[in-house]
Amino acid sequence: MSYDRIKVESLRDKVVTAEEAAKLFENGMVVGSSGFTKAGDSKAVLAALADRAQTENVQVTLITGASLGHGIDGKLAEAGALKKRMPFQVDPVLRKKINAGEVLFIDQHLSETAELIHNKNLPAVDIAVLEIAAIFKDGSLLPTTSVGNSVTFANEAKQVILEINLAVSEDVFGIHDIYQSEDYPRRNVIPIVACENRIGRKTIPFDVSKVSAIVFTNIPDSPADIAAPDEKTTAIASHILAFFEKEVALGHLTESLLPLQAGIGKVANAVLTGFKDSSFKNLTMFSEVLQDSTFDLIDAGIMDFASASSITVSQECYERVFNNLDKYRDKMVLRPQNISNTPGLIRRLGVIAINTAIEFDIYGNVNSTHISGSKIMNGIGGSGDFARNAYLSIFVTQAASKDDKISHVLPMVSHHDHTEHDVDILVTDQGLADLRGLAPRERAQVIIDNCVHPDYKEELQSYFDRACVRGGQTPHLLEEAFAWHIRLSEQGTMKK
Amino acid sequence: MSYDRIKVESLRDKVVTAEEAAKLFENGMVVGSSGFTKAGDSKAVLAALADRAQTENVQVTLITGASLGHGIDGKLAEAGALKKRMPFQVDPVLRKKINAGEVLFIDQHLSETAELIHNKNLPAVDIAVLEIAAIFKDGSLLPTTSVGNSVTFANEAKQVILEINLAVSEDVFGIHDIYQSEDYPRRNVIPIVACENRIGRKTIPFDVSKVSAIVFTNIPDSPADIAAPDEKTTAIASHILAFFEKEVALGHLTESLLPLQAGIGKVANAVLTGFKDSSFKNLTMFSEVLQDSTFDLIDAGIMDFASASSITVSQECYERVFNNLDKYRDKMVLRPQNISNTPGLIRRLGVIAINTAIEFDIYGNVNSTHISGSKIMNGIGGSGDFARNAYLSIFVTQAASKDDKISHVLPMVSHHDHTEHDVDILVTDQGLADLRGLAPRERAQVIIDNCVHPDYKEELQSYFDRACVRGGQTPHLLEEAFAWHIRLSEQGTMKK
């Protein structure tokens, strides 16, 4: 029976419908909600807020872990319920509202949101909405498929709405590692020295007097869309695997490499899938999201342990993992995102980071977020946390797309998320550019030689050559730097 | 007698002239040299290499801690002795050669160079040139006025030339804290939890069999050029101090603030000097360079402790500190730069970072390094290490310069070193923009309202307004984004 999930019996009279709980939101409030890459998000209460906002003026600032599932962000945006949103989103309806200036969006490094809240560099959180699997006798909360910023929201919010998701078994107990750093100026070390280290509690310590409503749901997470590898992603993956093999042959890495981080998407999936037929073994992962490929590698006996902040997988994989938790419990851990993504741990563990670019330029600067300088797609997510601090920072993208009308390798990126300082390796389906130890002018030639689509090679070489004549450490022709983007906007193609 | 400085007696027959030592360099070698912001650099051997290169083809890759003094970088560049240079420089002659494409320069986060060498992401170091004050009986090395990357060079180089600088007393023993992290994959925590923690040895452990030459010098460091505060720097400093006072009044910070980092230059100097007449007390510093103002604050009893990688001060201050080391020894420490600047410690300690921008844009992106997109000035230095991981990241610049022909607040920066994700507060002599919790469109308005010079306000507002009509999360008009830089290049002024 569902009430068994509330083991503090006095709280059972807090159970209400989602509609009733949604009445607690007031116009102008700051709301903190669980949810990280569609995992462990609020399924009912935020949806009820969207419904309420259709007829009432109730507009909030919504802070989550990362993206939400079930189209909730779109419903909230459509209903006018969002004034401001952070730190990440992937919803097409919300994206449109953000780019129209109707919703204000703050694109944040995912490790930083909890820090900003805790340090009062963001407004106080009025109300938290947290999906959980159970409330334990000591008042502590058992998260579901993600941890995200829930620990911070539970600590910092003035009141808390709990969503108990009966679709998630209490068997998830033990897959989470709940730890937060101390307050300034007395912050201690985070004592993780290997992916598999558990340093905290299994549940979120919580003051139950802050509970203002409890809502039951029984809705699984939105499944991940796993695109099958195609010719381009397979080419990218094979370039990366060949690179790793070379590094092992040189003695720079062992066949266990170092802990892997992979951004979401089909390229990362193709790379990880590629490990299945390789000689690498005893791999580990220190990432933000565990995807299908992670569990495939665990099942294949190639990956020993995976640490992240959420599990975002296909329906098939979801059933495989959550119906067999005993098999996976000692092979994975979910951490708060200000631990999974914290710079100090990424450098300490020596993470190999693989993330997706929208475009990159001849000097190795990467745009992960914006189309033609202005319009955001999703957000920077954790890519900056990992790329800056990684042992190796790899970015991947296709060389060209849309019938090759768009080149993803450009004279200058139209928006900078990762500067050349933070990028070691660039990969397209055309090839791999190893930028380590290269000065900008050397980088440019290697990128032009290895990464750009043949249709754009001559013009990119011409840009670089003519810029070099004018001089500089990173020679540019500012009057032409965005000519390709401008052509795309005016003529529908970057081609001359 | 100078030979007393070599306490391993068997090494005394390694003493040669600088000219003889410089014969050890071979064309194509990778050279690692001590020196960080003009402190503790090679005074004789690199100069002798420059002399040799005037008549011989001997060109090397030179890696240092940061900038060198005594015009050495310029002499080396002028003589054609530099093929590649990293990670930082401030020399006008070298700068010209870099921008002409005659010397390849890699601009690196100062915390990363040692990591890159250690992880073999840079070529192996053939020969190191290290200024020291003494070689101890156990073979360990006593650094002088900086630590920089000397520990890594001492460990990794195949052979080592030691420059014993008699101008630096052996009394410096005890001001250094020498610690390096373990190798991957067994790296442990760096156990610093407060600025004043000492976690390592007082000297650099060293295998004396690698010594190929020892040279004596008796030349002090190049003194820092300390510009007196002027109207603009005083205005910037007063905006920042007023901001800190407000944060204390709000209860966000105490009157001890949190550990301060300040970039080199007259603004940082003016800010720190401003603390002298304030109510702040028990300040600490976790920075990369200790400047005159640090010691002024220590002398005034306002600063308790300062941690960095070098001491770069005026001649007056140099004498004050190094003739009174007993007074300062327990109030400061010099660390390797991959410790002083390491991301994990900066976040753990909650550093308040104050760095100088060349220009910033309406969304808060900062250019610290390049003029009009192409030509480098100095380099990113440690600003990225600190800004990304700081509790508060502050950037300062004058609103306009050169008879106001140049605006330092622009539609889009021509080179990105720090993205909007990493910038909390922007300050010019016009005012302060507090960007915390603001989305890009809000940031733009606050920056236009507070920071831009009046002569440019209307045009900047017009750019932003017209870009907003076109839409986006960070609205831009790509065809106009660099119009101000292009006008400057064509007409000598950014004004219409």
Side-chain angles (χ1 to χ4, degrees):
Chain A
M1 171 44 200
S2 58
Y3 276 69
D4 294 350
R5 300 281 188 111
I6 309 173
K7 298 173 207 310
V8 180
E9 292 184 18
S10 61
L11 287 178
R12 291 182 181 171
D13 60 5
K14 296 278 185 184
V15 174
V16 295
T17 64
E19 293 65 34
E20 285 174 295
K23 288 181 187 155
L24 293 165
F25 297 107
E26 291 172 25
N27 193 37
M29 274 187 166
V30 176
V31 178
S33 176
S34 65
F36 192 103
T37 53
K38 306 199 285 184
D41 52 347
S42 156
K43 276 87 176 172
V45 175
L46 290 185
L49 169 61
D51 288 343
R52 200 185 135 202
Q54 304 240 3
T55 55
E56 264 184 89
N57 180 26
V58 53
Q59 206 176 44
V60 302
T61 291
L62 177 61
I63 312 176
T64 56
S67 58
L68 304 178
H70 296 288
I72 294 281
D73 259 327
K75 286 177 196 158
L76 288 165
E78 196 65 74
L82 297 180
K83 181 179 196 303
K84 197 175 276 192
R85 181 78 176 85
M86 66 192 91
F88 189 73
Q89 61 78 36
V90 298
D91 188 278
V93 177
L94 173 55
R95 179 184 303 144
K96 211 170 155 185
K97 294 274 183 189
I98 291 166
N99 286 323
E102 294 166 26
V103 177
L104 294 163
F105 178 67
I106 305 183
D107 186 23
Q108 274 165 351
H109 298 301
L110 293 186
S111 77
E112 292 192 354
T113 312
E115 302 289 308
L116 294 169
I117 293 170
H118 189 76
N119 298 339
K120 303 190 186 352
N121 287 327
L122 284 174
V125 177
D126 295 300
I127 191 160
V129 185
L130 305 178
E131 179 178 280
I132 58 169
I135 312 169
F136 283 6
K137 274 225 160 89
D138 63 356
S140 70
L141 307 175
L142 175 61
T144 60
T145 51
S146 72
V147 181
N149 286 319
S150 294
V151 186
T152 297
F153 296 144
N155 284 338
E156 303 279 339
K158 293 166 200 157
Q159 54 176 313
V160 176
I161 301 171
L162 298 170
E163 266 192 45
I164 300 178
N165 191 347
L166 301 174
V168 179
S169 152
E170 289 184 65
D171 286 350
V172 294
F173 180 76
I175 69 169
H176 312 94
D177 186 49
I178 305 302
Y179 176 91
Q180 287 290 286
S181 292
E182 298 81 3
D183 292 347
Y184 292 122
R186 306 233 167 272
R187 182 172 278 197
N188 211 330
V189 298
I190 303 170
I192 292 172
V193 296
C195 294
E196 65 269 23
N197 290 165
R198 289 170 197 270
I199 60 171
R201 296 164 183 263
K202 291 180 176 167
T203 55
I204 302 174
F206 183 60
D207 170 8
V208 294
S209 73
K210 295 204 289 188
V211 175
S212 48
I214 299 175
V215 172
F216 283 106
T217 63
N218 195 336
I219 306 170
D221 288 338
S222 289
D225 314 312
I226 305 291
D230 58 23
E231 203 178 321
K232 284 183 186 173
T233 58
T234 303
I236 291 171
S238 73
H239 297 317
I240 294 180
L241 287 165
F243 168 79
F244 286 149
E245 280 161 11
K246 203 186 70 186
E247 290 294 297
V248 172
L250 288 168
H252 295 171
L253 289 167
T254 71
E255 59 197 353
S256 301
L257 301 178
L258 280 165
L260 299 165
Q261 177 261 336
I264 281 206
K266 60 184 181 179
V267 176
N269 205 49
V271 173
L272 291 182
T273 301
F275 279 115
K276 276 211 281 193
D277 305 313
S278 74
S279 59
F280 298 102
K281 58 186 185 183
N282 301 117
L283 296 177
T284 55
M285 181 164 252
F286 193 80
S287 194
E288 52 190 15
V289 185
L290 303 185
Q291 302 171 73
D292 282 41
S293 47
T294 305
F295 294 100
D296 293 347
L297 290 176
I298 289 175
D299 289 348
I302 289 166
M303 180 164 286
D304 288 354
F305 197 89
S307 165
S309 194
S310 81
I311 298 174
T312 302
V313 290
S314 68
Q315 194 179 328
E316 174 279 314
C317 186
Y318 188 96
E319 285 164 15
R320 175 157 45 111
V321 172
F322 287 95
N323 293 334
N324 296 285
L325 275 171
D326 283 347
K327 179 177 163 191
Y328 296 103
R329 198 176 277 109
D330 64 346
K331 293 189 167 57
M332 68 175 181
V333 67
L334 299 184
R335 310 180 188 278
Q337 70 196 70
N338 54 331
I339 303 295
S340 65
N341 285 32
T342 201
L345 295 181
I346 294 162
R347 185 172 288 192
R348 187 186 299 158
L349 297 178
V351 171
I352 296 174
I354 306 169
N355 289 288
T356 304
I358 288 178
E359 60 187 19
F360 59 78
D361 69 25
I362 52 172
Y363 298 119
N365 299 288
V366 168
N367 170 12
S368 301
T369 55
H370 285 69
I371 304 296
S372 289
S374 298
K375 296 198 175 171
I376 197 162
M377 281 297 295
N378 302 328
I380 193 167
S383 60
D385 294 322
F386 286 96
R388 170 71 62 91
N389 300 289
Y391 167 93
L392 270 179
S393 163
I394 302 171
F395 280 92
V396 300
T397 187
Q398 48 193 332
S401 66
K402 303 269 165 84
D403 295 331
D404 304 331
K405 285 179 187 156
I406 296 176
S407 172
H408 296 266
V409 188
L410 291 145
M412 182 187 274
V413 289
S414 60
H415 180 95
H416 288 68
D417 289 298
H418 311 286
T419 68
E420 50 121 340
H421 312 286
D422 300 332
V423 179
D424 297 315
I425 310 279
L426 288 171
V427 194
T428 68
D429 44 298
Q430 297 292 320
L432 180 146
D434 182 350
L435 308 176
R436 295 175 297 168
L438 301 187
R441 289 180 188 224
E442 296 174 299
R443 291 178 153 234
Q445 199 55 58
V446 170
I447 289 168
I448 293 169
D449 289 345
N450 291 284
C451 294
V452 70
H453 186 279
D455 290 359
Y456 294 94
K457 201 166 201 164
E458 194 181 334
E459 197 186 345
L460 201 58
Q461 184 74 54
S462 161
Y463 176 89
F464 174 56
D465 291 344
R466 288 178 296 118
C468 284
V469 171
R470 209 181 284 175
Q473 191 233 6
T474 54
H476 269 300
L477 309 169
L478 289 186
E479 70 281 11
E480 277 187 45
F482 296 138
W484 298 22
H485 297 94
I486 293 168
R487 279 208 296 264
L488 176 66
S489 134
E490 291 176 352
Q491 301 165 23
T493 175
M494 285 187 178
K495 289 189 186 172
K496 253 190 180 159
Chain B
M1 173 41 202
S2 57
Y3 276 70
D4 294 350
R5 299 282 187 110
I6 308 172
K7 297 173 207 311
V8 180
E9 292 185 18
S10 60
L11 288 177
R12 289 182 183 170
D13 60 6
K14 298 277 186 186
V15 174
V16 295
T17 64
E19 291 65 34
E20 285 173 293
K23 289 182 188 155
L24 294 164
F25 297 107
E26 291 171 25
N27 193 37
M29 273 188 166
V30 176
V31 178
S33 176
S34 66
F36 192 104
T37 53
K38 305 199 286 185
D41 51 347
S42 156
K43 276 89 176 171
V45 176
L46 291 184
L49 169 61
D51 287 343
R52 201 186 135 200
Q54 304 239 1
T55 55
E56 264 184 89
N57 181 26
V58 54
Q59 205 175 45
V60 302
T61 291
L62 177 60
I63 313 176
T64 56
S67 58
L68 305 178
H70 295 287
I72 295 280
D73 259 327
K75 286 177 197 157
L76 288 166
E78 197 65 73
L82 297 180
K83 180 180 196 302
K84 197 174 273 192
R85 180 77 176 87
M86 65 192 92
F88 189 73
Q89 62 77 36
V90 299
D91 188 277
V93 177
L94 173 55
R95 180 184 304 145
K96 212 170 154 186
K97 294 275 183 188
I98 292 167
N99 287 323
E102 294 166 25
V103 177
L104 293 164
F105 178 66
I106 305 184
D107 186 24
Q108 272 164 352
H109 299 301
L110 293 185
S111 77
E112 292 192 354
T113 311
E115 302 289 308
L116 294 170
I117 293 170
H118 189 76
N119 299 338
K120 304 193 185 350
N121 287 327
L122 284 174
V125 177
D126 295 299
I127 192 160
V129 185
L130 305 178
E131 179 179 278
I132 58 169
I135 311 169
F136 282 8
K137 274 225 160 88
D138 63 355
S140 71
L141 307 176
L142 175 61
T144 59
T145 51
S146 71
V147 181
N149 286 319
S150 294
V151 185
T152 296
F153 296 143
N155 285 337
E156 303 280 339
K158 294 166 201 159
Q159 54 175 316
V160 176
I161 301 171
L162 298 172
E163 266 193 46
I164 300 179
N165 191 347
L166 301 174
V168 179
S169 152
E170 290 185 63
D171 286 351
V172 295
F173 180 76
I175 69 169
H176 312 95
D177 186 49
I178 305 303
Y179 177 91
Q180 286 291 285
S181 293
E182 298 81 3
D183 291 348
Y184 293 122
R186 308 234 167 271
R187 182 173 278 197
N188 211 329
V189 299
I190 303 170
I192 292 172
V193 296
C195 295
E196 65 270 23
N197 290 166
R198 289 170 197 267
I199 60 171
R201 295 165 185 263
K202 291 180 178 169
T203 54
I204 301 173
F206 182 60
D207 169 7
V208 294
S209 73
K210 297 204 288 187
V211 174
S212 47
I214 299 175
V215 172
F216 282 106
T217 63
N218 195 336
I219 306 169
D221 288 339
S222 288
D225 313 312
I226 305 292
D230 58 23
E231 203 177 319
K232 285 181 184 173
T233 58
T234 304
I236 291 170
S238 73
H239 296 317
I240 293 179
L241 288 165
F243 168 79
F244 286 148
E245 281 161 10
K246 203 185 69 184
E247 289 295 297
V248 172
L250 288 168
H252 296 171
L253 290 167
T254 71
E255 59 198 354
S256 301
L257 301 177
L258 281 165
L260 299 166
Q261 176 261 337
I264 280 206
K266 60 184 181 177
V267 175
N269 204 48
V271 173
L272 291 182
T273 301
F275 279 115
K276 277 211 280 193
D277 305 313
S278 74
S279 58
F280 298 102
K281 59 184 184 185
N282 302 117
L283 296 176
T284 56
M285 181 163 254
F286 193 80
S287 195
E288 51 190 15
V289 186
L290 303 185
Q291 301 170 75
D292 283 41
S293 47
T294 305
F295 294 99
D296 293 347
L297 291 175
I298 289 175
D299 289 347
I302 289 167
M303 180 163 288
D304 288 354
F305 197 89
S307 165
S309 193
S310 81
I311 298 174
T312 302
V313 291
S314 68
Q315 194 180 330
E316 175 279 314
C317 186
Y318 188 95
E319 286 163 14
R320 174 157 44 111
V321 172
F322 287 93
N323 293 336
N324 296 283
L325 274 170
D326 284 347
K327 179 176 162 191
Y328 295 104
R329 198 177 275 110
D330 64 346
K331 292 188 169 59
M332 69 177 181
V333 67
L334 299 184
R335 309 180 188 277
Q337 70 196 70
N338 54 331
I339 303 294
S340 66
N341 284 32
T342 201
L345 296 182
I346 294 162
R347 185 172 289 192
R348 188 187 298 157
L349 297 177
V351 171
I352 296 173
I354 306 169
N355 289 288
T356 304
I358 287 178
E359 60 187 19
F360 58 78
D361 69 26
I362 52 173
Y363 299 117
N365 300 288
V366 168
N367 171 11
S368 301
T369 55
H370 285 68
I371 304 297
S372 290
S374 299
K375 297 197 175 170
I376 198 161
M377 281 296 295
N378 301 329
I380 194 166
S383 60
D385 294 322
F386 285 97
R388 169 71 63 89
N389 300 290
Y391 166 93
L392 270 178
S393 162
I394 302 172
F395 280 92
V396 301
T397 185
Q398 49 193 332
S401 67
K402 303 268 164 87
D403 295 331
D404 303 332
K405 285 179 188 156
I406 295 175
S407 173
H408 296 266
V409 188
L410 291 146
M412 183 187 273
V413 289
S414 60
H415 181 95
H416 288 69
D417 289 297
H418 311 287
T419 69
E420 50 122 340
H421 312 286
D422 300 332
V423 179
D424 296 315
I425 309 280
L426 288 171
V427 194
T428 67
D429 45 298
Q430 297 291 321
L432 180 147
D434 183 351
L435 307 176
R436 293 175 297 169
L438 301 186
R441 289 181 187 223
E442 296 174 299
R443 290 177 155 235
Q445 199 55 58
V446 170
I447 288 169
I448 294 169
D449 290 345
N450 291 284
C451 294
V452 70
H453 187 278
D455 290 359
Y456 294 93
K457 201 167 200 163
E458 195 181 333
E459 197 187 344
L460 201 58
Q461 184 75 54
S462 162
Y463 177 89
F464 175 56
D465 291 344
R466 288 179 296 117
C468 284
V469 171
R470 208 181 285 174
Q473 191 232 7
T474 54
H476 269 300
L477 308 169
L478 289 186
E479 70 281 12
E480 277 186 45
F482 296 139
W484 298 22
H485 296 94
I486 293 168
R487 278 208 298 263
L488 177 65
S489 135
E490 291 176 352
Q491 301 165 22
T493 175
M494 285 188 178
K495 289 190 185 171
K496 256 191 178 160

